[in-house]
Amino acid sequence: MRYIKVLLFFTILTVSCTLFAQKTKVIPNRGMASPFTTIKNRAWWKEAIVYQIYPRSFKDSNGDGIGDLNGIISKLDYIKSLGVNVIWLNPIFSSPNDDNGYDISNYRDIMKDFGTMADFDKLLKGLHQRNIKLVLDMVLNHSSDEHEWFKQSRSSRTNPYRDYYHWWPAEKGKPNPRYSFFDVNSDAWKYDQTTNAYYLHYFSQKQPDLNWENPKLRNEIYDMMKFWLDKGIDGLRMDAFQYVSKDTTWQKYPEGYEKNIIKYYGMGPNLHTYLREMNHSVIDKYLVMTVAEGAGSTLADAHALVDEDRKELNMAYHFEVMDIGNDPKGYSLPDLKKVFTKWDGSFANKGWLAIFLANHDVPRMVSKYGDDSPAFRAASSKLLTTLIMTMRGTPFYFNGDELGMSNIKFDRIEDYRDIATLNAYQHVLAKGEDLKAFMDKQKFISRDNTRTPFQWDASKNAGFTTGEPWIKVNPNYKEVNAQREETDPNSVLSYFKKVVALRKSSPALIYGSYKVYDVEHPQVYCYLRSEGKEKMLVILNFSNQNVSYAIDRGINTHLSKLLLSNYKTAKIRDHKIALLPWQSVVYQIN
Ligand code: GLC
Ligand code: CA
């Protein structure tokens, strides 16, 4: 009897211990109530802060003047110190670099300039050890003309790879015009003598468009995606993906169609079929995030890409914000507010977006939306960072913006490296158009403005390379650099880290509803983000003047708490706040 009692006692003890152990396993942070527990539809990629690294310009490890994977590895602790939790790398695959890696000649190997597969594995491991995820850039609309597929394809009309690309036999005459983004003559059909036929290239002549109508090509692509996903990467950025499905009747488009190019090139007839197929064959099997560059031309197009129940993509980024601010004379703040507000409203209940103000295809955010003059560069950089980090949607933040890096504004065409600028220059020259006006505009819009080397310190070449950098370093590096800013609590960098930490801790800033006030106010952007009891009021002075701003009486500012400001002072008195030039503040409202 006693024996049985003892046995029973031990059995109960063992069972309850096991149960307890199981419980502790599944409930992390015992005793610590997470502010996120009430959020429905949580996802790691919604809570992520994506930091975009342009590998060619981040850090050179071997003195050849080109950034590389070992360079990034040497800066992993810097990246960790930012607080970001996802890295997006621009293409790192083998490429002759006609378009800096967006022309891939081997999808399963690393570009020689950037290093080796062993370096890649080391980088991925180093990121994961620091709890940072990795997103790779999938360029699937086109390959390089130096890819083996294209070499085969162009060799004869009967080659098995012929249908991997779009060809038009020249005996049928010239095909209907198609616009090319990078071609000197804007002509997307390039005549190829070997087989007396034209091939299609929406981008440069060295970027022939892949033929997605061909299931063999699609399967090759899916296999290639598996190759990278099996290595353990965490996400895919789908470059120019909205263009992959083409109207292969090659019908004639109306005069001036190129001014509305997304309507004609985007969201082709089979795009959704391909996306579902890709999910079914590859993506569903992995816990990864997917983001598309481009979101069609309407809100409905964007929803069709990212709504959860469609099981296609997690998120997309649209370009309406980018379309604002391309005039050096300035832009209208109400226009900017309306674009953010329209998109947020449309995605309030369903779907998810990426939020960004810069990337490698546009100028520096401070030069475009802020004020990069010495007096306001730092303040306006901080304000723009606040905007990105307090919007609903996953922030995509471009490397160097956390330092307040600005446009380099080259004077000479010889300094430019970007195919878009170089080819457009040839075009202007051939047409006898105004060269000076062109060069002035490039200072403002050229993609090279964001591609200059990352400014690490005040040493030669900003500490980017010991050799000759592939593109010039911005001369302001002695003042604007990571080393200097790390030790200054008021620097753009120090402020960036604070906003990042605030966003990560706040369900309201990530998931909360968004309400805008005074949309027509020409200088101030004010909005409230709320989730449950948590309310965050963001006030941004988009001008280089002092502004006294009257806060809506409906907002209870009585017990407000200042969480963040890019100046020392920020006072609300009688529902009014005195804002300094480019001041940004975030209050917690009770
Ligand atoms: C995307 C990339 C851009 C590239 C183009 C062609 O827009 O972001 O850099 O030039 O696609 O691949
Ligand atoms: Ca190098």
Side-chain angles (χ1 to χ4, degrees):
M1 189 61 191
R2 193 164 166 223
Y3 169 71
I4 289 176
K5 264 192 191 159
V6 171
L7 192 73
L8 201 69
F9 172 76
F10 277 109
T11 315
I12 290 170
L13 189 74
T14 328
V15 170
S16 48
C17 279
T18 321
L19 278 177
F20 184 68
Q22 270 172 5
K23 262 196 189 155
T24 49
K25 233 186 219 163
V26 290
I27 308 172
N29 299 332
R30 248 183 325 142
M32 273 188 354
S34 153
F36 289 90
T37 42
T38 55
I39 306 286
K40 289 188 211 95
N41 295 327
R42 278 184 76 180
W44 69 264
W45 41 267
K46 293 182 182 171
E47 293 172 24
I49 295 178
V50 182
Y51 181 70
Q52 179 188 354
I53 292 182
Y54 197 66
R56 179 162 290 267
S57 302
F58 197 61
K59 174 69 185 165
D60 175 22
S61 70
N62 60 354
D64 66 357
I66 300 173
D68 45 52
L69 300 187
N70 276 321
I72 302 174
I73 292 170
S74 72
K75 294 296 180 184
L76 283 175
D77 289 334
Y78 171 80
I79 297 165
K80 177 75 186 162
S81 77
L82 297 175
V84 299
N85 38 29
V86 177
I87 298 302
W88 152 29
L89 289 182
N90 291 93
I92 52 168
F93 316 101
S94 301
S95 165
N97 283 305
D98 190 50
D99 182 20
N100 285 4
Y102 283 92
D103 46 320
I104 296 172
S105 52
N106 184 348
Y107 288 90
R108 292 173 187 244
D109 208 353
I110 301 294
M111 189 195 299
K112 288 211 171 57
D113 289 342
F114 288 174
T116 63
M117 195 59 90
D119 299 336
F120 174 81
D121 294 337
K122 196 170 155 204
L123 171 62
L124 184 61
K125 196 165 161 214
L127 285 167
H128 285 170
Q129 275 166 350
R130 289 167 180 79
N131 279 324
I132 300 172
K133 296 187 191 292
L134 178 65
V135 168
L136 288 184
D137 211 324
M138 294 278 129
V139 188
L140 307 176
N141 175 68
H142 46 268
S143 73
S144 162
D145 66 339
E146 296 181 34
H147 193 292
E148 191 54 34
W149 296 339
F150 191 73
K151 288 188 195 161
Q152 294 284 334
S153 183
R154 85 186 328 175
S155 68
S156 92
R157 288 193 182 188
T158 53
N159 187 282
Y161 289 89
R162 185 66 168 180
D163 288 341
Y164 273 44
Y165 297 86
H166 295 285
W167 290 96
W168 178 273
E171 64 272 18
K172 280 167 71 182
K174 251 210 110 170
N176 283 323
R178 287 295 180 267
Y179 176 81
S180 163
F181 296 102
F182 296 160
D183 191 74
V184 179
N185 301 315
S186 312
D187 182 356
W189 290 110
K190 165 91 175 139
Y191 178 72
D192 200 47
Q193 218 167 13
T194 318
T195 57
N196 186 37
Y198 296 88
Y199 67 83
L200 185 76
H201 63 93
Y202 280 179
F203 293 90
S204 91
Q205 294 185 357
K206 287 184 66 62
Q207 294 169 296
D209 283 48
L210 290 161
N211 177 11
W212 273 71
E213 312 306 317
N214 181 349
K216 269 199 349 230
L217 175 273
R218 298 205 299 277
N219 283 327
E220 293 237 31
I221 299 260
Y222 302 152
D223 279 349
M224 176 277 287
M225 291 169 101
K226 281 184 207 146
F227 170 81
W228 289 102
L229 289 163
D230 286 338
K231 275 185 170 285
I233 65 163
D234 309 282
L236 309 163
R237 179 237 185 212
M238 318 283 279
D239 180 71
F241 198 75
Q242 58 176 340
Y243 301 147
V244 299
S245 166
K246 274 121 186 151
D247 168 8
T248 49
T249 64
W250 309 117
Q251 58 174 305
K252 196 167 164 39
Y253 290 154
E255 202 63 32
Y257 73 94
E258 70 280 359
K259 297 198 181 70
N260 205 352
I261 200 70
I262 309 280
K263 194 173 146 216
Y264 288 90
Y265 279 13
M267 311 297 287
N270 296 318
L271 184 70
H272 293 292
T273 313
Y274 299 155
L275 274 172
R276 279 193 293 267
E277 181 184 81
M278 181 189 289
N279 266 294
H280 183 71
S281 336
V282 189
I283 294 170
D284 279 353
K285 300 179 177 59
Y286 304 85
L287 284 172
V288 292
M289 70 168 245
T290 48
V291 54
E293 182 200 25
S297 36
T298 62
L299 293 168
D301 284 349
H303 274 290
L305 287 173
V306 302
D307 282 359
E308 293 86 355
D309 47 9
R310 297 181 56 95
K311 301 208 181 322
E312 294 190 21
L313 294 166
N314 295 143
M315 59 183 130
Y317 49 94
H318 67 83
F319 286 98
E320 262 190 66
V321 172
M322 290 300 108
D323 294 344
I324 293 175
N326 288 324
D327 183 347
K329 287 197 213 85
Y331 62 96
S332 132
L333 179 64
D335 285 353
L336 188 77
K337 292 192 243 181
K338 284 173 198 167
V339 170
F340 272 114
T341 304
K342 176 179 96 178
W343 283 85
D344 182 86
S346 174
F347 284 78
N349 299 319
K350 210 177 194 194
W352 195 257
L353 294 174
I355 301 287
F356 69 109
L357 287 176
N359 60 36
H360 63 294
D361 288 333
V362 289
R364 282 283 170 190
M365 72 172 185
V366 67
S367 303
K368 185 171 176 180
Y369 300 103
D371 182 337
D372 65 6
S373 67
F376 303 115
R377 185 193 52 79
S380 62
S381 290
K382 293 173 186 170
L383 173 139
L384 295 168
T385 297
T386 315
L387 172 69
I388 299 173
M389 297 295 169
T390 56
M391 279 283 156
R392 180 158 41 188
T394 300
F396 278 64
Y397 198 89
F398 189 67
N399 65 188
D401 282 344
E402 78 274 24
L403 308 176
M405 281 177 65
S406 55
N407 280 7
I408 189 158
K409 305 178 187 173
F410 288 130
D411 286 316
R412 307 171 331 136
I413 193 69
E414 294 76 29
D415 289 332
Y416 283 102
R417 299 286 175 268
D418 178 20
I419 186 173
T421 298
L422 297 177
N423 283 1
Y425 180 86
Q426 289 307 325
H427 181 90
V428 171
L429 211 57
K431 294 259 152 143
E433 290 166 9
D434 187 345
L435 260 188
K436 167 141 189 347
F438 171 81
M439 290 300 289
D440 283 348
K441 191 147 192 224
Q442 295 309 305
K443 289 183 184 182
F444 195 65
I445 65 161
S446 172
R447 310 196 292 184
D448 277 341
N449 284 302
T450 38
R451 298 178 178 186
T452 61
F454 193 93
Q455 293 163 207
W456 291 105
D457 55 43
S459 70
K460 195 168 174 242
N461 295 321
F464 163 69
T465 179
T466 53
E468 197 53 46
W470 72 276
I471 189 168
K472 281 191 176 156
V473 175
N474 193 314
N476 70 9
Y477 72 92
K478 293 224 159 103
E479 195 203 335
V480 183
N481 67 63
Q483 192 183 49
R484 191 177 157 168
E485 296 191 31
E486 273 178 332
T487 54
D488 173 2
N490 295 318
S491 66
V492 179
L493 179 59
S494 298
Y495 182 87
F496 173 81
K497 292 179 190 172
K498 282 184 218 151
V499 198
V500 165
L502 179 64
R503 180 180 179 94
K504 286 199 301 193
S505 68
S506 163
L509 291 182
I510 298 170
Y511 292 104
S513 66
Y514 157 97
K515 182 172 182 203
V516 67
Y517 295 90
D518 306 308
V519 177
E520 297 299 339
H521 196 295
Q523 291 153 315
V524 176
Y525 192 177
C526 172
Y527 48 92
L528 187 69
R529 302 288 317 280
S530 330
E531 176 63 40
K533 284 198 184 121
E534 192 194 16
K535 290 188 169 48
M536 299 286 206
L537 181 67
V538 183
I539 310 177
L540 311 169
N541 175 10
F542 270 78
S543 81
N544 53 18
Q545 283 142 26
N546 293 313
V547 176
S548 168
Y549 178 68
I551 299 170
D552 190 280
R553 290 264 158 200
I555 299 171
N556 179 11
T557 58
H558 184 52
L559 289 172
S560 57
K561 185 171 155 206
L562 182 66
L563 297 181
L564 203 71
S565 167
N566 60 352
Y567 285 91
K568 284 207 183 73
T569 57
K571 277 241 157 60
I572 300 181
R573 267 206 198 98
D574 191 25
H575 265 85
K576 273 216 176 104
I577 181 164
L579 295 165
L580 294 162
W582 294 101
Q583 183 158 18
S584 58
V585 291
V586 180
Y587 282 97
Q588 191 172 337
I589 300 294
N590 284 291

